[in-house]
Amino acid sequence: MSLSVIIPTRNRAGVLDACLSSIAEQSLATSEFEVIVVDNGSTDETPHVVERHHASLQLRCVHAPEPGLHVGRHEGLREARGDVLAFADDDIVAEPAWLATVVERFRDPSVALVGGNNLPLFEHAPPEWLARWWDIPANHGRALGHLSILDFGQGRFDIDPNFVWGCNFSIRRQTLLDAGGFHPDAMPTERLRWRGDGETHVSEWIRRSGLRTIFDSGASVHHRVPASRMSPGYFEQRSFAQGISDSYTDIRRAGGSRIPVFASAQLRVKTGLRRLRLHATRTTDEADAKLKGVQLGALAAWERGYDFHQKEVRKDPALFSWVMKETYL
């Protein structure tokens, strides 16, 4: 088995430096894996950061100037020599056992995907509403997709692949190829309507194929949460983007040449909005009321994003063709 770590980046030299430092300090010998930094059009000190880490890692930097996270991920896939690909965000700090654990789990040929905890590195103490949201139980522990943070505790067990997120996403190369690669993700603001559902497509393909996904707490990372992300406005921004992604997914699932109207999805959101509004008016707990207000704003933003994408696809045949592409490899 061979292992490639793939890190797409764009203008985030500072956090990339810390990420690469944590990878250089892995318990797995650096001779046992390669690191590929995919520069997705940086204009900052990224080349100098990469150069500083050449001595401590088997490190290559490749360039993929076209915008879109899927572009960087696919360039890393093409460049990688490994049978197993560990995709990571540039703002993670990896636990020392991360890669050794990934290698160990993939010794089982039935395993297609491996993830671990994505523990928060808060820039400062989160506001009370955010701390309460983060503490809400989810699946095996707690998870907050808006910040890509997840804590399922200690241990090793089979897991729904939709709880393995792109900041810590280790997959067999052949599985990724069989799934057709990643869908569009993390577009610049001016290209947001071209966004897709990212690694969710791959996770769903793995689930439908009956392949195993393993959670192992040894394969954990810490994910930075800067102050700019601990605000209601950021949660609305993420929810708007998720609405676009969900519209994209629904259109692809429907197939054909007609853009469907997904009244059921809209009904679910409207029902959720009504319930949250009712709760917010009845609660006397100030922090709870604030949380419900943020959740209301996020749900409303999701609905706006979903509607925006549906309308954009209807009026632009080129966008519809993009949504329906068989593969983006």
Side-chain angles (χ1 to χ4, degrees):
M1 186 195 309
S2 52
L3 175 65
S4 298
V5 180
I6 299 170
I7 308 168
T9 190
R10 185 174 186 267
N11 286 336
R12 302 215 292 182
V15 294
L16 176 65
D17 191 27
C19 173
L20 292 174
S21 293
S22 73
I23 294 172
E25 296 169 357
Q26 292 292 294
S27 60
L28 183 69
T30 56
S31 59
E32 299 298 313
F33 62 92
E34 65 172 353
V35 179
I36 301 170
V37 172
V38 185
D39 188 340
N40 206 190
S42 297
T43 56
D44 64 357
E45 296 297 307
T46 292
H48 301 291
V49 167
V50 173
E51 182 63 31
R52 285 202 299 272
H53 288 274
H54 271 301
S56 56
L57 291 166
Q58 294 190 73
L59 177 61
R60 286 182 286 142
C61 184
V62 298
H63 295 272
E66 182 184 343
L69 180 56
H70 68 292
V71 175
R73 286 170 169 172
H74 288 160
E75 188 62 29
L77 165 63
R78 285 187 284 271
E79 289 285 332
R81 304 183 181 112
D83 304 310
V84 171
L85 311 177
F87 289 91
D89 284 356
D90 57 8
D91 59 353
I92 62 103
V93 175
E95 291 276 2
W98 178 47
L99 294 179
T101 304
V102 167
V103 168
E104 189 60 33
R105 297 288 69 77
F106 278 108
R107 295 193 192 284
D108 182 340
S110 71
V111 174
L113 182 66
V114 172
N117 291 315
N118 306 324
L119 302 169
L121 274 177
F122 291 115
E123 187 175 13
H124 60 64
E128 181 64 23
W129 64 265
L130 177 52
R132 289 196 181 196
W133 199 344
W134 172 227
D135 281 339
I136 295 173
N139 202 268
H140 290 270
R142 53 185 178 168
L144 187 49
H146 291 80
L147 299 175
S148 298
I149 55 176
L150 178 148
D151 183 359
F152 283 176
Q154 299 298 304
R156 183 171 70 245
F157 41 82
D158 287 80
I159 193 175
D160 184 323
N162 287 293
F163 283 105
V164 179
W165 296 337
C167 61
N168 182 10
F169 191 93
S170 296
I171 187 170
R172 291 191 192 275
R173 178 192 188 93
Q174 192 56 54
T175 300
L176 182 56
L177 291 171
D178 291 344
F182 295 104
H183 283 175
D185 198 0
M187 291 291 192
T189 302
E190 67 275 11
R191 292 179 57 85
L192 196 57
R193 71 194 194 112
W194 301 91
R195 176 185 174 92
D197 54 15
E199 74 272 5
T200 301
H201 152 72
V202 180
S203 298
E204 278 296 299
W205 186 91
I206 289 171
R207 185 185 60 80
R208 291 194 307 271
S209 300
L211 302 175
R212 288 185 71 197
T213 299
I214 295 293
F215 170 91
D216 192 317
S217 55
S220 293
V221 304
H222 298 263
H223 196 207
R224 294 183 185 277
V225 183
S228 59
R229 296 185 180 181
M230 291 188 276
S231 70
Y234 178 77
F235 275 65
E236 290 184 14
Q237 175 187 329
R238 279 295 300 264
S239 295
F240 185 91
Q242 187 60 49
I244 292 173
S245 293
D246 291 342
S247 169
Y248 170 99
T249 300
D250 284 347
I251 292 168
R252 285 184 64 92
R253 284 176 177 169
S257 58
R258 186 175 69 86
I259 310 301
V261 177
F262 289 94
S264 60
Q266 301 290 55
L267 180 61
R268 288 196 301 273
V269 171
K270 290 182 186 300
T271 301
L273 284 167
R274 284 197 299 270
R275 288 175 177 170
L276 279 172
R277 287 191 184 106
L278 182 63
H279 183 90
T281 58
R282 288 179 174 176
T283 184
T284 58
D285 184 318
E286 185 176 341
D288 188 48
K290 177 66 174 179
L291 171 57
K292 294 303 182 289
V294 175
Q295 291 173 329
L296 273 167
L299 269 175
W302 180 95
E303 188 174 32
R304 291 195 301 273
Y306 193 99
D307 285 343
F308 164 79
H309 188 256
Q310 292 271 311
K311 291 172 183 175
E312 289 292 304
V313 172
R314 281 192 176 86
K315 72 183 184 183
D316 187 348
L319 181 56
F320 178 66
S321 296
W322 170 258
V323 170
M324 297 304 296
K325 280 186 70 168
E326 183 176 351
T327 179
Y328 300 86
L329 283 169

